Amino acid sequence: MLKVEDWAEIRRLHRAEGVPIKEIARRLGVARNTVRAALHSDRPPKYERAPRGSLADTFEPQIRALLQQWPRMPAPVIAERIGWPYSSAPLRKRLAVIRPEYVGIDPVDRVTYEPGEIAQCDLWFPETKVQVGAGQERVLPVLVMTLGFSRFMSAVMIPSRQAGDILSGMWSLISGIGRVPKTLVWDRESAIGGTGKVSAPAAAFAGTLATQIKLAPPRDPEYKGMVERANQYLETSFLPGRNFAFPADFNHQLGDWLVGANARTVRSIQGRPVDLLERDRASMVPLPPVDPPIGLNHRIRLGRDYYVRVDTGDYSVDPQAIGRFVDVTASPDTVTVFCDGQLVARHERSWAKQTVVTDPAHAATAHRMRQALALDREKRQAATRHHADGHAVALRALPDYDALFGVDFDPVSTRASNE
């Protein structure tokens, strides 16, 4: 085959210098027909290898029959059904070519967001475990939020993926921005919209903020691709080589790292998120005058075991509230308990599993109450006389006999009636 450099030299000699075909063939040592072919070709010669057959050629009719009925059948299952005797590489290569004919192709559009229009939210689960106390290490969720226009990222570690904790994290991030995006995009996280409909706690949160929560279609991570890329960026650029003493240390390191991350130039917007943030904020909704409903909240009647459960931990309550209804509220930082509007417990929240948190004052009160009850029992036992045969005979107060026989010996009432 004629080389590209020889083709170029033939055309130069003949067209620029007027060298005859016979002389060009002699100088370059090629046939005159080769020279003629080069002069008639307007494009350089290109080597094209003749296509070879594939091991999958003979199996293609069977493959197509299966894809016709089950377009998404996995390659290992297809190999089993057709009796594929070779390695999986040729089969997968052929499937990559013909499967789109049956599944269809889903093109992705480029979307442009207006300032203040949207924020994408997601939970990221970093593999690095964090010390949470009680000798425990846990993999905890991190709530990540990315603004659509400025690409500004914010994130915070939260104690669980329950609705109250997720909403607390969202309120923390939105408060940090200082304004509310007009739309919050979520996937179908169970606490936000696992049924395909926005949950009641999430709807109450959105209503207070005068925004809307929009759920992504099922199994479509590309719908919120910005925050998915942010998760990947955190995974590859923030996490490696770091250790965390406790959740607050994680959030402190993450906050410092995000300052630099938001100051980098993002190619898709040809700018830095921190520089575009103010323009993004200007088109957002103002923060509400009252805080939205967040945190874990429930109401129970306090039992003799004067503890309430939050997540998987138990927290003590003033035993004087035993038998009465108490309202329990838990933020990521604190657990508070109220009874008839009075504070009866306040604890720092533990992120460890199956922990028991006891206020020494509550334990001391319970001890005094037990002592008082024991003393009262002793007094009642001392007020008991015994019959001659030894059995106990209870002593009744004299007013009991008055009430029994209908006699009123109240001197005040008697004097009043005489007058």
Side-chain angles (χ1 to χ4, degrees):
M1 180 179 175
L2 186 66
K3 296 180 180 179
V4 175
E5 51 268 29
D6 291 338
W7 172 83
E9 181 66 9
I10 290 171
R11 293 171 66 82
R12 186 191 68 82
L13 290 173
H14 185 72
R15 295 190 177 185
E17 299 185 9
V19 179
I21 292 176
K22 183 176 180 180
E23 179 61 22
I24 294 174
R26 187 188 66 78
R27 290 186 187 183
L28 299 181
V30 297
R32 280 176 284 183
N33 286 339
T34 301
V35 175
R36 294 188 181 96
L39 294 174
H40 285 96
S41 175
D42 293 330
R43 297 183 179 276
K46 181 180 179 181
Y47 173 71
E48 294 182 357
R49 185 171 58 183
R52 295 187 305 171
S54 170
L55 294 173
D57 289 345
T58 56
F59 294 89
E60 184 166 333
Q62 297 172 261
I63 295 172
R64 288 185 177 275
L66 291 173
L67 293 179
Q68 181 69 38
Q69 191 169 2
W70 298 285
R72 299 186 182 277
M73 180 178 285
V77 179
I78 292 177
E80 181 182 353
R81 295 287 182 87
I82 65 177
W84 181 258
Y86 310 106
S87 69
S88 62
L91 176 60
R92 292 181 183 276
K93 186 175 180 180
R94 180 55 60 88
L95 282 172
V97 174
I98 64 177
R99 192 191 294 273
E101 299 178 20
Y102 300 92
V103 175
I105 299 175
D106 182 16
V108 178
D109 294 329
R110 294 291 182 93
V111 182
T112 302
Y113 296 107
E114 296 297 324
E117 178 184 357
I118 202 169
Q120 295 184 0
C121 307
D122 196 20
L123 292 183
W124 167 53
F125 292 86
E127 294 182 357
T128 303
K129 293 185 177 181
V130 179
Q131 293 280 350
V132 292
Q136 295 184 29
E137 292 183 335
R138 292 183 61 193
V139 172
L140 293 167
V142 176
L143 176 61
V144 183
M145 186 169 71
T146 303
L147 301 182
F149 175 75
S150 64
R151 302 298 198 273
F152 188 87
M153 290 193 308
S154 54
V156 63
M157 178 172 277
I158 56 178
S160 77
R161 61 195 302 180
Q162 297 183 66
D165 286 333
I166 293 176
L167 297 177
S168 294
M170 290 175 65
W171 178 236
S172 172
L173 299 183
I174 291 172
S175 299
I177 293 172
R179 304 273 285 184
V180 184
K182 296 175 183 176
T183 302
L184 302 172
V185 176
W186 269 94
D187 59 11
R188 304 204 173 191
E189 176 66 31
S190 59
I192 301 297
T195 62
K197 182 180 179 181
V198 177
S199 65
F205 177 86
T208 306
L209 269 61
T211 185
Q212 67 169 334
I213 294 178
K214 191 172 184 179
L215 299 179
R219 297 176 298 279
D220 189 4
E222 294 175 347
Y223 191 85
K224 52 182 184 62
M226 285 186 303
V227 73
E228 294 288 352
R229 288 191 292 273
N231 291 350
Q232 184 65 28
Y233 185 40
L234 288 164
E235 188 78 37
T236 57
S237 299
F238 166 70
L239 200 59
R242 291 181 183 267
N243 294 307
F244 309 101
F246 40 83
D249 180 40
F250 182 98
N251 283 331
H252 178 74
Q253 293 189 44
L254 179 58
D256 290 344
W257 180 84
L258 283 170
V259 172
N262 286 317
R264 79 196 193 284
T265 299
V266 179
R267 181 181 59 83
S268 59
I269 58 175
Q270 293 299 308
R272 305 191 309 166
V274 68
D275 297 333
L276 297 174
L277 177 61
E278 190 55 38
R279 187 178 168 192
D280 217 352
R281 291 178 68 256
S283 299
M284 294 183 186
V285 179
L287 293 176
V290 296
D291 290 350
I294 57 176
L296 306 179
N297 301 277
H298 62 277
R299 192 176 204 228
I300 64 167
R301 188 185 295 275
L302 188 64
R304 289 180 57 206
D305 178 15
Y306 51 95
Y307 285 79
V308 293
R309 177 154 295 181
V310 174
D311 198 3
T312 62
D314 294 331
Y315 299 83
S316 68
V317 179
D318 188 341
Q320 297 179 88
I322 288 175
R324 301 165 66 186
F325 281 104
V326 294
D327 297 298
V328 185
T329 300
S331 72
D333 302 319
T334 59
V335 175
T336 55
V337 185
F338 287 86
C339 180
D340 292 335
Q342 299 295 319
L343 182 68
V344 290
R346 183 181 181 86
H347 299 278
E348 181 179 347
R349 183 172 175 182
S350 172
W351 291 18
K353 291 284 189 181
Q354 285 82 41
T355 56
V356 177
V357 181
T358 303
D359 187 333
H362 297 163
T365 300
H367 179 67
R368 289 194 299 270
M369 292 173 67
R370 283 191 296 270
Q371 285 184 325
L373 180 62
L375 181 61
D376 183 63
R377 287 175 177 172
E378 290 178 1
K379 289 181 178 179
R380 288 199 300 270
Q381 290 177 356
T384 303
R385 67 177 181 176
H386 293 80
H387 195 268
D389 60 3
H391 73 272
V393 179
L395 295 179
R396 287 187 175 274
L398 290 178
D400 292 345
Y401 294 99
D402 296 341
L404 179 65
F405 293 104
V407 179
D408 183 6
F409 288 107
D410 185 358
V412 176
S413 61
T414 302
R415 185 167 55 252
S417 61
N418 291 334
E419 292 175 356

